[in-house]
Amino acid sequence: MIHRPTDAPEWWRTAVIYQVYPRSFGDADGDGIGDLPGITERLDHLARLGVDAVWLSPFYRSPQRDAGYDVADYRDVDPIFGTLTDADRLVARAHELGLRVIVDLVPNHTSDEHVWFRQALADGPGSAARARYMFREGNGEHGEEPPNNWQSVFGGSAWTRVSDRPDAPGSAWERDGQWYLHLFDTSQPDLNWDHPEVHEEFCNILRFWLDRGVDGFRVDVAHGLVKAPGLPDWAGHVRMVEGTDVEEGLAAAEDEVIVPDASDDAQTGRSPMFDQDGVHEIYREWRAVLDEYDGDRILVAEAWVEPLERLALYVRPDEMHQAFNFNFLVTRWSPAALRESITGSYAANDAVGAPTTWVLSNHDVVRHASRLGLDETGKGPNGIGAEDPQPDAELGLRRARAASLLMLGLPGSAYVYQGEELGLPEHTTLDDSLRQDPAWWRTGHAEKGRDGCRVPLPWRSDAPGLGFSPTGRTWLPQPESWAGLAPDVQEQQEGSTLRLYRDILALRSELGLGQGGLELLEAGDDVVAVRNTASDRPAVVVVANLGTEPVTLPEGAEVLLASGPLTDGGVPSDTTVWLREQS
Ligand code: GLC
Ligand code: MG
């Protein structure tokens, strides 16, 4: 047994949580950009799907330089998404339907249009306002070199210089002042989490949304808030999806090769900007705030941290409730690798009493229906363009359905990214001129970026813009292949991905698979086979066949669900089944 069953009553230990990406879920006002009323109108789809909660990516006031992950006002809704009243309506309607609502919290950085940052620029070096951010003097005779060699996650230096001469025209080459740190885009200055006002402000932001009735927060870049003292040079380059890459960092440093020093961090590959021990104090503070409220409100960590044991530190009993399991997301389509990820995930989380979570797609990675159709599965590239090798769509979808049926048969909590219930592929031929992700610009187009997984959802096959907006407008064009994938078509289609997801979620909940225990079964090298057990119901066996030959079902086994058609008595390649063993 690699995981014991639980009878803990908290909803989040077993919940299936659906990620809504507001700009691409549904548009009500016709401008081609999704909005809060457009989500509220479509919440029935989610209730019908059978999820327990929704997580909304940021809808706060923002210049949208990083699609809302650059927040200018944490207590207001951006006009493109609606108003605070619309947010209240959304929460009320979700609750009416029995859906909990989790909102996104972005504490590592603000937008450069946040009033704090504007004030920091205006008040100049040494001011109280600058102390809330990470301003430093530059190196070199005239401070013309950045304070250290850190790279932004989106590419390029992690520092931008400002103009501190009142009369300076402000163009980049004439800037003469201090530098500020931004682990992401220039428009996302990092906050200084050594500052008490920053702590106080975020506790108040939590309360603001808790008072409005939200059920929790997904915490953006939860591993980034605290930086190593002294901001030491570090030659690596951390990318969101891949984690740390010291070697590439060295190569990228070109003529100026900086060798990591002999500190522990350099040896373990841990960077001085991520996963510093100090972050845990912050989450203890926030947990105490949440615990003042009734109703099981939660914190979910977005932390690209390795290994799983380090990630588990974020979900100790007095910190966050859950952390996204990116280890599972980046695992190759390989039985041994998947078994290792599953076993390791339970070991790490069970040790701290936290639920293990499962996730295959989100707004930062290539959709798994496309990722799994690439020659090399695993973390995948950061975006796919028309001239790149294209995924095998049929293979990708078959594997995606098998992967989802495997994932949702595992105990714990799971995340579903909008559109995966329709089997949507990535947009892999998006015109470069339409790309908006800052990673596309900051890497000098070396990375395509994340626009391909953020395309507006299809709702009706026969409507302009596939029913995303009443005017037919969509802020990014939808791929042609999506027409046949709209929910109105899939409703009518036996075996459609939408109907598969509905069946999976209904059965998962009916059988309490989220609460189950788990055993790993020996079923050959090509197969991932597990037994989900509970004392009050017959066990459910999940068999995923990743090999090329069909796998014979155990005699007398009853098939409860299959991710694709079965052959005579067998599970074909890239197919998963849920079985009830002969009693
Ligand atoms: C997180 C978000 C991503 C965003 C980044 C910076 O990783 O998921 O979309 O770009 O943080 O806020
Ligand atoms: Mg709109």
Side-chain angles (χ1 to χ4, degrees):
M1 177 144 295
I2 59 170
H3 169 72
R4 308 207 156 276
T6 170
D7 49 16
E10 296 99 340
W11 67 274
W12 44 271
R13 291 188 177 273
T14 58
V16 176
I17 303 176
Y18 184 100
Q19 180 186 359
V20 166
Y21 193 67
R23 61 173 45 232
S24 301
F25 189 71
D27 178 28
D29 68 359
D31 65 352
I33 304 175
D35 43 45
L36 299 185
I39 299 168
T40 309
E41 268 170 18
R42 292 165 172 87
L43 284 174
D44 297 273
H45 169 77
L46 301 186
R48 178 88 205 275
L49 184 60
V51 300
D52 303 294
V54 271
W55 147 40
L56 301 157
S57 279
F59 49 75
Y60 314 110
R61 209 173 258 278
S62 157
Q64 307 289 325
R65 295 282 297 277
D66 184 22
Y69 282 96
D70 48 326
V71 181
D73 184 347
Y74 293 84
R75 294 180 182 78
D76 201 4
V77 173
D78 196 278
I80 64 170
F81 297 127
T83 61
L84 270 178
T85 310
D86 293 328
D88 291 341
R89 286 203 184 112
L90 191 162
V91 173
R93 177 66 187 144
H95 285 168
E96 237 170 66
L97 291 168
L99 298 167
R100 290 188 155 89
V101 180
I102 293 170
V103 295
D104 220 301
L105 185 76
V106 187
N108 179 68
H109 43 265
T110 69
S111 157
D112 59 352
E113 293 189 15
H114 190 283
V115 20
W116 274 9
F117 193 73
R118 294 180 158 227
Q119 180 144 30
L121 289 185
D123 289 5
S127 63
R130 273 206 186 176
R132 297 187 189 118
Y133 291 92
M134 304 290 285
F135 279 91
R136 295 289 184 279
E137 298 299 330
N139 290 327
E141 204 179 328
H142 307 289
E144 70 281 9
E145 302 281 340
N148 70 22
N149 67 351
W150 292 4
Q151 297 284 299
S152 146
V153 173
F154 292 158
S157 170
W159 295 91
T160 291
R161 196 172 192 193
V162 302
S163 175
D164 286 329
R165 253 182 23 220
D167 59 335
S171 55
W173 53 90
E174 281 169 319
R175 287 181 188 170
D176 62 349
Q178 288 189 312
W179 298 72
Y180 66 88
L181 176 70
H182 52 87
L183 294 185
F184 295 87
D185 188 54
T186 320
S187 63
Q188 295 166 297
D190 279 49
L191 285 163
N192 170 19
W193 275 92
D194 284 335
H195 199 302
E197 277 174 35
V198 174
H199 284 253
E200 199 188 310
E201 173 67 359
F202 274 86
C203 286
N204 290 335
I205 294 167
L206 290 175
R207 289 199 175 90
F208 178 86
W209 289 103
L210 290 166
D211 289 339
R212 294 194 104 85
V214 308
D215 300 284
F217 302 88
R218 174 264 189 192
V219 180
D220 189 63
V221 199
H223 55 319
L225 279 52
V226 174
K227 281 80 183 174
L231 312 182
D233 270 351
W234 185 73
H237 178 194
V238 172
R239 294 208 188 81
M240 187 157 355
V241 182
E242 293 144 272
T244 303
D245 194 343
V246 177
E247 299 237 326
E248 266 193 42
L250 287 171
E254 286 166 19
D255 40 54
E256 192 197 346
V257 176
I258 304 141
V259 181
D261 63 30
S263 73
D264 278 358
D265 279 0
Q267 277 162 14
T268 56
R270 194 139 59 87
S271 72
M273 59 280 257
F274 288 118
D275 197 26
Q276 299 296 305
D277 293 335
V279 294
H280 297 290
E281 274 315 309
I282 300 169
Y283 304 130
R284 293 198 180 98
E285 183 175 70
W286 293 2
R287 178 62 178 256
V289 173
L290 265 72
D291 287 346
E292 292 165 16
Y293 287 78
D294 59 3
D296 269 350
R297 323 278 182 120
I298 68 165
L299 293 166
V300 184
E302 186 226 15
W304 294 89
V305 163
E306 283 175 330
L308 283 159
E309 288 70 29
R310 286 235 27 118
L311 182 62
L313 299 179
Y314 290 73
V315 289
R316 286 176 286 189
D318 59 346
E319 296 195 37
M320 302 221 207
H321 300 75
Q322 293 188 348
F324 293 117
N325 189 351
F326 294 130
N327 177 286
F328 182 71
L329 186 151
V330 303
T331 295
R332 280 172 303 117
W333 190 238
S334 132
L338 285 166
R339 277 193 294 262
E340 192 185 323
S341 176
I342 294 169
T343 311
S345 300
Y346 285 117
N349 288 300
D350 288 350
V352 293
T356 290
T357 69
W358 306 103
V359 60
L360 287 164
S361 281
N362 66 33
H363 67 293
D364 290 328
V365 300
V366 171
R367 284 181 174 277
H368 67 282
S370 296
R371 221 171 54 227
L372 295 172
L374 290 170
D375 284 345
E376 207 181 309
T377 56
K379 63 182 157 51
N382 189 10
I384 299 174
E387 68 286 1
D388 296 324
Q390 295 293 302
D392 178 334
E394 209 190 297
L395 178 69
L397 179 59
R398 194 163 71 236
R399 287 180 173 173
R401 292 167 52 120
S404 298
L405 187 56
L406 168 64
M407 166 175 98
L408 291 163
L410 300 173
S413 174
Y415 282 82
V416 171
Y417 177 51
Q418 65 177 36
E420 75 171 68
E421 79 280 18
L422 305 175
L424 294 187
E426 182 89 354
H427 196 324
T428 55
T429 55
L430 200 59
D431 198 290
D432 284 347
S433 67
L434 301 173
R435 297 193 185 279
Q436 306 205 5
D437 185 351
W440 162 247
W441 305 103
R442 293 191 59 90
T443 59
H445 302 174
E447 291 181 8
K448 292 287 170 191
R450 300 162 291 173
D451 296 302
C453 65
R454 299 175 172 182
V455 172
L457 290 191
W459 290 96
R460 292 192 57 84
S461 55
D462 59 352
L466 300 177
F468 173 71
S469 161
T471 56
R473 289 169 69 184
T474 59
W475 69 277
L476 284 176
Q478 298 149 320
E480 266 161 41
S481 65
W482 282 18
L485 296 174
D488 64 328
V489 179
Q490 295 206 31
E491 298 254 356
Q492 309 303 326
Q493 244 168 31
E494 181 130 8
S496 70
T497 306
L498 177 59
R499 283 172 60 169
L500 174 66
Y501 264 74
R502 283 184 185 158
D503 291 347
I504 296 175
L505 295 180
L507 202 55
R508 178 185 159 90
S509 141
E510 184 194 317
L511 299 177
L513 298 185
Q515 284 96 327
L518 203 73
E519 285 165 45
L520 214 49
L521 304 177
E522 225 0 283
D525 286 353
D526 290 340
V527 174
V528 180
V530 295
R531 186 182 283 123
N532 186 316
T533 61
S535 53
D536 57 348
R537 58 150 169 88
V540 173
V541 171
V542 180
V543 179
N545 178 12
L546 281 72
T548 48
E549 295 304 314
V551 167
T552 315
L553 292 176
E555 205 163 318
E558 179 197 348
V559 176
L560 299 174
L561 268 181
S563 67
L566 301 183
T567 52
D568 215 6
V571 185
S573 172
D574 293 322
T575 302
T576 299
V577 287
W578 287 4
L579 305 172
R580 183 162 285 160
E581 293 163 307
Q582 197 178 24
S583 45

